[in-house]
Amino acid sequence: MAVAHRKLLRSRQVGSLLFLLCISVGSAATIRYSVAEEMESGSFVANVAKDLGLEVGKLAARGARLVSEGNKLHFRLHRKTGDLFVKEKLDRESLCGKADPCVLHFEIVLAEPLQSFRVEVRVFDINDNAPVFLNKEPLLKIPESTPLGSRFPLQSAQDLDVGLNGLQNYTLSPNAYFHLHTRFRSHGPKYAELVLDKPLDREEQPEVNLTITAVDGGSPPKSGIAYIRVKVLDVNDHVPLFSRLVYRAQVPENSANGSLVATVSATDLDEGSNKEITYSLAQNPEAVLQTFQIDSQTGEVRLRGPLDFEAIETYDIDIQATDGGGLSAHSKVLVEVVDVNDNPPEVTVSSVSSPLPEDSPLQTVVALFSIRDRDVRVGGKITCFLREDLPFAVRPTFQNSYSLVTDRGLDREEVSGYNITVVAMDTGPPSLFTETVIEVLISDINDNPPIFQEDSYILTVRENNSPAIFIGKVHAEDLDLGENAQVTYTLLPPQSGDLSVFAYISINSDNGKLYALRTMDYEAIQNFQFVVKATDGGFLSLSSQVTVRVVVLDDNDNRPMILYPLQNGTLPCNDLVPRSADAGYLVTKVVAVDGDSGQNSWLSYHLLKATDPGLFSVQQQNGEIRTLRQISERDPVIQKLTILVQDHGQPALSTTASLNILLVDGFSEPYLQFRDPSKNPTRVNPSTKYLVISLAVLSFLFLLSVTVIFVIHIYQKVKYREKFTVQEHFYDDCNFPNNLVQGGANGSLSQPCPYEMCSATGTSNSEFRFLKRFMPNFPFPHGTGEAKTEAGSSLPPDSDRNRSRGSEDHGRVPDNCM
């Protein structure tokens, strides 16, 4: 009945392990699955999306991924369907050893929004390992006098499987001397003992060969075989006797190699060599032999290798005491490993959100991590905190899992990234801790407008500049990064709506360099201002403005202009000076202006040329012309002066002014100005010439119409025409406007031309004098007036005579005033 029941249990277990998945949700955040070991890669485990209550495709949309605590994934997730598959063949023995149950832990992390779920997959054992004896041919030495019922422990078979698939029983080949008795250890596999059923007789049979078979509980079961040689010894009446059947000891896991664990002691009532006892570790598992050793003479059990409470908590050590006659006895040493706080907490970071926008709200999840402490019985509660005062905080999510969240506002312009040191500390003793650095970068947003380096800019440009010349630049800094910091410069139209500034200035939108588009003229514009706008390249662009004032600097590009005496081509009136004038007498004043500014417009007056340099002087500051001495009778009547007017620019520009001064005895009668015989006569106005030609043509046509009757009259007209032509050539040579302008420009006097002076009737001393261009005159009737020569003598009023004198002497002027 018991055998049938055991077979039923085995069949149920095998059926449940053939890819049957057992799913259970232990808590709101933990999902549990079960799989059998040795499942092939790609075997289906479960549909995670269905278990999480998510629609198909949501895992891919939210960036689902698997994160393992041991940094090794045994499963893979199909994010589109939500199916969980085995990544590689699972071997429960290599994953968990003898630990049962064998549970694999990992997390399913969803990125958007950040969320994680714990998953536990239990790996069930299948019967893929047969029991194995380490010693295939053990040798037992048993005295022939061994009493019936004596027990002889045999080595345990090793089976890597667990549960029903592990070692279940031993069987012994049929024999007449022994039967097999199976016993259990408090730690480790079952072991068997040979029980003597029949007295041994060395003379009858000195050696007994047995076969022991170890069988597991799998379906079908697997087995391992060892061949036992029993050598029958000669009589030794007494076997060693231990002082205790069981020795107990507690050893801290951090004990050093060679530390004393326990001391066993056995005695033998025999004498001689049969009383000499040696101790040994008999028939122990490999883990015991690698960890402990015993002194064969003293029985001291000491550490051979390190202890690890987290791996093995207790050891069951078989001690064998053998006397000189070959008799042996067995005892046990139960070693309890005492846990100490020798493992610091382990921090596993499963996910980090980096870079993090600087405008992230408070309590934004930055990272997810879990903490595990292998010292489960010591160490106490684990505390988690940050090493430095940073705008982050640690928040627990569920058991041994935490999240790193923002606790204060972030500003990339102050700190562009953080190395966050997370400290996990247990309570000891001694207290151990682990530091884990989580790097979080802060990404930029457009939260800073461009800032100009100056509140306003004042730029200068010198007039007469070349077009497109660089005059300066404006610069704005933006504390953001990338496109958010790319500044573009533009000119804003004035609020008045006057767009003329765009005709003067252009700006390079990339670097803020300003250029003058046209040549500046200080005399037209001295300064102007405009507004420059700096805009960044952010999605929601920010901008700032600055006022730029451009000041035009003056160049000395304007010559002084003579306002008085007139130098524009009209006949100037002569200035009259009485011969009775004293020294310092104010003759006249040269008035000039300069279109420039500053020292470029400061004018000084100098006497460049004079008929008598010692008679007149010019005030350098105001241009007043005064007499230096009294006028004598020997001084010429006509005094010609050339005044140089010069500014103070670099280089200086100048203009000359020419004027004539007449020395007279008084202002009671008009005086005429005489031309300078050293100069060629100027040409007459072209309009006068055209008028004369027109009259000549008309006269010629009229003479042709009258042939005979008016021959004498025609003869007189022809004679008159010849005389008039002489006078016409006289005025053609004057060319007053051109020579006067040329003489004023280069500082020399113009060609002499006939002028006349007019004085108001009855005002011989009048201060108002007018100069007018002399026009051609025709004969007047007799008795119209008198004319004076240059020396003041009277001339007859005969017009023909006057014209004759005018053509003979270019220094004379007509006797009329137009």
Side-chain angles (χ1 to χ4, degrees), residues 620-639:
Q620 185 176 354
Q621 290 77 17
N622 53 26
E624 293 180 352
I625 300 176
R626 296 179 180 271
T627 59
L628 291 175
R629 58 178 175 81
Q630 286 188 342
I631 300 173
S632 66
E633 293 296 332
R634 295 186 301 272
D635 293 328
V637 175
I638 299 177
Q639 296 287 331

Side-chain angles (χ1 to χ4, degrees), residues 497-615:
D498 182 13
L499 301 180
S500 61
V501 67
F502 295 113
Y504 289 93
I505 291 296
S506 71
I507 189 169
N508 188 318
S509 60
D510 296 328
N511 53 31
K513 291 185 177 181
L514 293 165
Y515 300 89
L517 292 178
R518 58 190 299 179
T519 302
M520 302 294 178
D521 187 1
Y522 175 83
E523 288 70 36
I525 182 171
Q526 285 77 42
N527 61 78
F528 58 92
Q529 68 180 25
F530 51 90
V531 177
V532 176
K533 179 180 179 181
T535 306
D536 59 28
F539 176 70
L540 297 176
S541 60
L542 302 177
S543 63
S544 60
Q545 300 177 6
V546 70
T547 300
V548 180
R549 183 168 179 261
V550 177
V551 177
V552 181
L553 302 180
D554 181 46
D555 263 353
N556 191 26
D557 59 343
N558 290 281
R559 295 178 179 274
M561 184 176 66
I562 307 298
L563 298 180
Y564 182 82
L566 295 178
Q567 304 288 313
N568 58 358
T570 62
L571 293 176
C573 291
N574 293 314
D575 289 292
L576 305 180
V577 178
R579 288 185 177 271
S580 59
D582 296 330
Y585 176 81
L586 176 61
V587 178
T588 185
K589 180 177 181 180
V590 178
V591 180
V593 294
D594 195 310
D596 297 320
S597 65
Q599 69 177 12
N600 294 332
S601 64
W602 298 349
L603 302 179
S604 60
Y605 302 84
H606 308 275
L607 182 60
L608 182 62
K609 187 188 298 183
T611 303
D612 186 354
L615 182 56

Side-chain angles (χ1 to χ4, degrees), residues 48-77:
V48 176
K50 180 179 179 181
D51 297 335
L52 295 179
L54 299 177
E55 297 178 2
V56 176
K58 282 292 184 178
L59 293 178
R62 296 183 61 181
R65 60 189 179 91
L66 303 182
V67 178
S68 174
E69 292 181 356
N71 296 326
K72 183 178 181 180
L73 290 173
H74 302 283
F75 304 91
R76 62 181 179 87
L77 177 64

Side-chain angles (χ1 to χ4, degrees), residues 522-791:
Y522 175 83
E523 288 70 36
I525 182 171
Q526 285 77 42
N527 61 78
F528 58 92
Q529 68 180 25
F530 51 90
V531 177
V532 176
K533 179 180 179 181
T535 306
D536 59 28
F539 176 70
L540 297 176
S541 60
L542 302 177
S543 63
S544 60
Q545 300 177 6
V546 70
T547 300
V548 180
R549 183 168 179 261
V550 177
V551 177
V552 181
L553 302 180
D554 181 46
D555 263 353
N556 191 26
D557 59 343
N558 290 281
R559 295 178 179 274
M561 184 176 66
I562 307 298
L563 298 180
Y564 182 82
L566 295 178
Q567 304 288 313
N568 58 358
T570 62
L571 293 176
C573 291
N574 293 314
D575 289 292
L576 305 180
V577 178
R579 288 185 177 271
S580 59
D582 296 330
Y585 176 81
L586 176 61
V587 178
T588 185
K589 180 177 181 180
V590 178
V591 180
V593 294
D594 195 310
D596 297 320
S597 65
Q599 69 177 12
N600 294 332
S601 64
W602 298 349
L603 302 179
S604 60
Y605 302 84
H606 308 275
L607 182 60
L608 182 62
K609 187 188 298 183
T611 303
D612 186 354
L615 182 56
F616 300 99
S617 66
V618 180
Q619 294 293 325
Q620 185 176 354
Q621 290 77 17
N622 53 26
E624 293 180 352
I625 300 176
R626 296 179 180 271
T627 59
L628 291 175
R629 58 178 175 81
Q630 286 188 342
I631 300 173
S632 66
E633 293 296 332
R634 295 186 301 272
D635 293 328
V637 175
I638 299 177
Q639 296 287 331
K640 302 178 91 40
L641 302 181
T642 301
I643 307 301
L644 176 67
V645 183
Q646 185 178 31
D647 59 26
H648 287 71
Q650 293 294 332
L653 300 178
S654 62
T655 303
T656 58
S658 300
L659 70 155
N660 296 330
I661 299 176
L662 299 181
L663 305 180
V664 298
D665 294 331
F667 299 149
S668 59
E669 51 185 335
Y671 289 85
L672 301 178
Q673 177 183 357
F674 297 94
R675 63 182 179 87
D676 188 356
S678 63
K679 303 296 183 179
N680 294 325
T682 58
R683 299 180 61 185
V684 76
N685 196 320
S687 61
T688 304
K689 179 179 179 181
Y690 298 149
L691 179 59
V692 174
I693 295 174
S694 299
L695 293 174
V697 172
L698 291 174
S699 300
F700 178 74
L701 293 176
F702 179 74
L703 290 175
L704 290 178
S705 64
V706 291
T707 58
V708 178
I709 302 172
F710 301 100
V711 173
I712 300 173
H713 182 72
I714 294 174
Y715 175 76
Q716 294 176 353
K717 287 291 183 179
V718 173
K719 183 179 181 181
Y720 169 76
R721 179 185 174 191
E722 293 176 353
K723 294 180 179 180
F724 184 77
T725 304
V726 174
Q727 188 180 23
E728 178 183 341
H729 287 296
F730 168 76
Y731 292 108
D732 287 340
D733 295 336
C734 186
N735 193 15
F736 174 78
N738 295 331
N739 289 340
L740 181 59
V741 174
Q742 294 174 357
N746 56 23
S748 63
L749 295 176
S750 62
Q751 298 293 334
C753 296
Y755 291 84
E756 72 173 352
M757 177 185 68
C758 299
S759 178
T761 304
T763 56
S764 59
N765 295 325
S766 175
E767 295 294 327
F768 298 94
R769 297 180 295 275
F770 302 90
L771 297 177
K772 183 178 292 186
R773 171 69 187 271
F774 177 76
M775 299 296 292
N777 293 297
F778 294 95
F780 285 93
H782 296 287
T784 57
E786 294 182 352
K788 292 187 178 181
T789 64
E790 182 179 11

Side-chain angles (χ1 to χ4, degrees), residues 172-312:
L172 187 65
S173 60
N175 65 91
Y177 296 96
F178 302 94
H179 75 273
L180 201 62
H181 179 71
T182 303
R183 302 189 65 177
F184 294 89
R185 300 177 186 272
S186 59
H187 179 75
K190 295 179 181 179
Y191 69 98
E193 293 179 338
L194 287 179
V195 180
L196 185 61
D197 294 332
K198 178 181 178 181
L200 297 173
D201 188 356
R202 188 190 65 81
E203 288 74 14
E204 182 181 352
Q205 187 173 352
E207 184 174 303
V208 179
N209 295 317
L210 305 173
T211 301
I212 184 172
T213 303
V215 183
D216 62 19
S219 179
K222 295 185 178 182
S223 61
I225 298 175
Y227 301 96
I228 303 174
R229 292 174 54 212
V230 178
K231 185 177 181 179
V232 181
L233 301 178
D234 200 11
V235 174
N236 186 10
D237 296 334
H238 298 89
V239 297
L241 181 64
F242 281 96
S243 60
R244 296 180 186 178
L245 293 177
V246 177
Y247 295 86
R248 299 181 182 275
Q250 291 184 340
V251 182
E253 63 173 326
N254 60 348
S255 299
N257 291 343
S259 299
L260 180 63
V261 176
T263 301
V264 297
S265 176
T267 58
D268 195 312
L269 299 178
D270 295 327
E271 294 183 351
S273 61
N274 292 330
K275 190 178 182 179
E276 297 178 356
I277 298 175
T278 57
Y279 301 94
S280 62
L281 299 179
Q283 312 302 329
N284 285 281
E286 186 68 20
V288 174
L289 297 178
Q290 292 179 355
T291 308
F292 300 94
Q293 61 184 357
I294 189 171
D295 190 308
S296 61
Q297 301 300 320
T298 62
E300 293 180 346
V301 179
R302 296 182 178 273
L303 285 178
R304 183 179 182 180
L307 299 176
D308 189 358
F309 175 83
E310 289 70 34
I312 301 177

